[in-house]
Amino acid sequence: MHVPDGFINAPVSVAAGAVAVGAVAVSLRGARRELDERTAPLAGLVAAFIFAVQMLNFPVAAGTSGHLLGGALAAILVGPYTAVLCVSVVLLMQGLLFADGGLTALGVNITVMACVTTVVAYAIFRGLAKVLPRGRRSVTAAAFTAALVSVPAAAAAFTLLYAVGGTTDVPLGKVATAMIGVHVLIGIGEAAITALTVGAVIAVRPDLVHGARGLTAPLKLRVGGELVDAPATPAPAPAAAGSHRKLWAAGLVTSLILAGFVSFYASTNPDGLEKVAHDKGFDKGEKEHDAADSPLADYGVKDISNTRLSGGLAGVIGVGVTVVAGSAVFWAVRRRRDGDGTESGPASTATDDVTAVTATSATSATSVTKPAENA
């Protein structure tokens, strides 16, 4: 759904840019409460992962494809404020290096793809989390639903901006129907990717999933036929740090493989916005990208004739640049938080206790329940 230059007129693009700047400023401040020494590196990785998966267009209808937007995924993994920054970093890298999404439309893209998706998805996710039973399956189900709704919501936001500042005269009702209709289908793919990714991370390190904090039911042990709360025995710090590094390395390798190799098999059909713009005729206002001569324009490396090699190398470069840029931003935010004395919320500590108990529960449960069984 990357909006190119020329779809939206200058006044509305400037207004959207002002909204985007304000949202990023608020997110920089809010992210201080979300990021710590564990989650800051994960946030940079989330940005790189979103970049990689956005290269994997999947078919959704005849002649149409879709790709991950990423707002829901990032919000659930690292928090809503940090999510806006993650997607904004991705959009900035794509616009500057790969000529994907207009530079004058950067504010429009951040507003639609970073802000709207994040706000809508996280509101739905938190609402479902309050009514569903606490547990991994509920978190995954809530993530699926939130991601599903966030995509057509972004399509509706674009339609609203186009209604105010569209550069071509087309029937608004037809644009709205086509945009929202095709993006409901794209939302199914977004929901599947989001749920699978969130579920995979929860299975390994639930304490690193922002949306899962406080949602895990306390561990119980059976003592003398009664269930009691398990003792909160701290997990060994080196093991936790090692697990964190392994997760980060696995995520980075996965991102590189997706961008460098799996992207070969991505659909070449136009995405939802491109298809609707062509069918309804408002692509006539599109202008050439200011970075069209970039060495990495259109996700290929200039002067490399082999298409697969060129695209794969561009993807690997994109992942590398995004993880470095994202990590630098989130490291700076965390340093600022440490400098002004901001503390992370209490939910983090509670979740750490649950995770620590889980690491030692098997042995404790065995030692407590075996005598009861023998008796």
Side-chain angles (χ1 to χ4, degrees):
M1 196 191 291
H2 294 76
V3 181
D5 295 318
F7 275 21
I8 307 295
N9 65 26
V12 174
S13 295
V14 170
V19 171
V21 169
V24 169
V26 170
S27 298
L28 283 169
R29 186 173 183 83
R32 297 182 202 173
R33 299 191 298 271
E34 295 173 345
L35 296 172
D36 55 28
E37 65 280 358
R38 299 169 307 155
T39 55
L42 179 63
L45 178 63
V46 168
F49 182 77
I50 290 173
F51 175 91
V53 179
Q54 283 195 0
M55 294 184 65
L56 309 180
N57 281 45
F58 48 85
V60 295
T64 311
S65 70
H67 62 72
L68 181 81
L69 299 185
L73 175 62
I76 296 166
L77 288 180
V78 292
Y81 294 107
T82 307
V84 172
L85 300 179
C86 281
V87 181
S88 297
V89 167
V90 173
L91 293 172
L92 182 61
M93 295 299 102
Q94 290 171 332
L96 290 176
L97 300 179
F98 299 92
D100 190 8
L103 295 182
T104 61
L106 182 60
V108 173
N109 283 316
I110 289 177
T111 299
V112 172
M113 296 178 64
C115 301
V116 172
T117 57
T118 297
V119 171
V120 170
Y122 199 69
I124 292 174
F125 177 82
R126 295 309 304 178
L128 290 174
K130 291 180 180 179
V131 299
L132 293 175
R134 294 187 301 176
R136 175 180 167 186
R137 290 184 179 179
S138 295
V139 173
T140 305
F144 183 95
T145 306
L148 175 62
V149 177
S150 70
V151 178
F158 167 79
T159 304
L160 179 61
L161 290 175
Y162 192 84
V164 178
T167 56
T168 55
D169 185 17
V170 295
L172 183 61
K174 293 183 178 180
V175 173
T177 301
M179 281 292 295
I180 295 174
V182 72
H183 283 90
V184 167
L185 299 178
I186 294 174
I188 297 173
E190 176 108 7
I193 295 170
T194 300
L196 289 172
T197 305
V198 170
V201 178
I202 288 178
V204 179
R205 288 295 301 272
D207 58 310
L208 293 181
V209 178
H210 180 90
R213 293 176 178 177
L215 299 179
T216 305
L219 182 68
K220 299 287 186 178
L221 297 179
R222 186 174 298 278
V223 180
E226 297 182 358
L227 291 176
V228 299
D229 291 337
T233 306
S243 176
H244 184 197
R245 286 193 294 268
K246 289 179 181 178
L247 175 64
W248 194 92
L252 181 60
V253 170
T254 300
S255 300
L256 291 171
I257 292 174
L258 291 174
F261 299 99
V262 181
S263 61
F264 297 162
Y265 307 100
S267 173
T268 58
N269 291 330
D271 69 14
L273 176 58
E274 292 174 311
K275 178 65 172 175
V276 173
H278 178 73
D279 290 348
K280 303 306 175 183
F282 63 87
D283 60 343
K284 297 175 182 177
E286 182 176 353
K287 297 179 180 178
E288 184 179 7
H289 200 288
D290 292 333
D293 294 330
S294 166
L296 299 173
D298 296 324
Y299 298 94
V301 178
K302 187 177 291 187
D303 299 329
I304 296 182
S305 57
N306 186 302
T307 304
R308 288 195 169 188
L309 177 60
S310 177
L313 184 57
V316 169
I317 293 172
V319 168
V321 171
T322 304
V323 76
V324 170
S327 297
V329 169
F330 300 123
W331 179 84
V333 171
R334 184 174 70 85
R335 290 278 294 179
R336 182 69 181 272
R337 189 202 75 164
D338 293 344
D340 64 15
T342 304
E343 296 181 359
S344 56
S348 175
T349 302
T351 309
D352 290 346
D353 289 343
V354 172
T355 306
V357 172
T358 303
T360 58
S361 61
T363 303
S364 300
T366 301
S367 61
V368 172
T369 58
K370 286 278 186 179
E373 293 173 358
N374 293 337

